[in-house]
Amino acid sequence: MQSVVDKINNWIIKVPNEFSGMSELEVSQRPMPNKWSKKEILGHLCDSAINNLERFIKIQYEEQPFALTPYNQDQWVDIQHYQDISIEEIINLWCGLNKKIIKIIAKTPYEKLAYQCDIGNNQMKTLEWLIQDYLEHMEHHLKNQVFN
């Protein structure tokens, strides 16, 4: 898990630096009417952090297997109006949430990484898989849609 922690820490440094070089137009412009702007993508990653932080905590003490509750990511982004919030506010939220996630990951006992969760469609995954998937999801958006 140290590799995941290190990679998230690197993103916590890189994301504010990369956004500081972008104009308001660049971070607010939607590539297509039905696609998210860079601000909304980072907002989506905040929502992912909120939902996964809760999961990373609950999986450690709830009855096994822990059933993940899905969330409607488009509704989360829309209702929170990330497009109308300053990029600095979104960056601060994203960094703060990921610093908390790092602390949870770092303090998770090794044996709990094998705890099972039901991700839907009769698929069982471990907490370790879920943590790695969180990072992969983050990196997918950052590398392919924000900093491409």
Side-chain angles (χ1 to χ4, degrees), residues 44 60 62 67 121:
H44 163 65
Q60 294 188 53
E62 293 278 346
N121 297 324

Side-chain angles (χ1 to χ4, degrees), residues 125-142:
K125 300 291 183 181
T126 63
L127 173 56
E128 181 175 19
W129 179 91
L130 194 64
I131 291 169
Q132 290 171 339
D133 185 65
Y134 171 75
L135 174 64
E136 289 172 14
H137 171 256
M138 176 198 307
E139 289 185 328
H140 164 77
H141 283 295
L142 292 174

